[in-house]
Amino acid sequence: MKRVTLMPLLAIVAILNFTSCSTETFPEDDIKAVELKTPPQAKEIEIEILELINEYRIQNGMNALGNHGTVKAVAYTHTDYMIEVDDVSHDNFYQRKLSLQQNADAQVVSENVAYGFSSAESVVNAWLNSPGHKDNIEGDFTDFDISAEKNEEGKWYFTNMFIKR
């Protein structure tokens, strides 16, 4: 296949199904915690994602993670932000990390984000097939939660956050 015809195809695949994870460390001077928004009630897709991740962890000899309302609120602020700016990113990760340190006694914070998947199974499988995302799912954490929201076109955005207290 010619390079010219392959590039648009790759761009479409990347746009339709995008995942990313974050655990990097950078200087945290002058970073302020995010203002927490009250998230909506858990959606079926969110519950399914949490259950799939915990099933995976248990089947592989790891502890199940507890749901945490503050983690959900922080994840929701980011999902809402990604929809607002129409971009999947880890922008402002250190603000979310600081919020979780201050409000949930988090010692370690990590996140996976994704866009465009239409089911819990598809997004969890994508994360498990990506080494960085899988590391987060398999990490030494105590709690987690997720926010899944649709944009105006009906495409899902996901923020899955993990903490260790």
Side-chain angles (χ1 to χ4, degrees), residues 51-102:
E51 289 174 348
L52 287 168
I53 290 173
N54 268 339
E55 286 173 16
Y56 173 84
R57 288 178 61 89
I58 291 166
Q59 289 173 357
N60 288 281
M62 294 167 261
N63 63 304
L65 302 175
N67 298 46
H68 197 288
T70 303
V71 176
K72 170 100 173 150
V74 172
Y76 176 67
T77 63
H78 187 58
T79 304
D80 192 46
Y81 166 82
M82 290 191 301
I83 290 171
E84 183 180 312
V85 299
D86 193 26
D87 187 34
V88 180
S89 71
H90 294 288
D91 291 355
N92 309 310
F93 173 76
Y94 299 99
Q95 291 175 314
R96 292 187 297 288
K97 179 180 176 185
L98 182 59
S99 288
L100 290 169
Q101 288 171 331
Q102 291 175 351

Side-chain angles (χ1 to χ4, degrees), residues 9 23 25 28 37 41 54 70 82-83 88 93 136 139 147:
L9 178 62
T23 55
T25 56
E28 297 179 16
K37 297 179 180 180
Q41 185 172 353
N54 268 339
T70 303
M82 290 191 301
I83 290 171
V88 180
F93 173 76
N136 286 342
S147 170

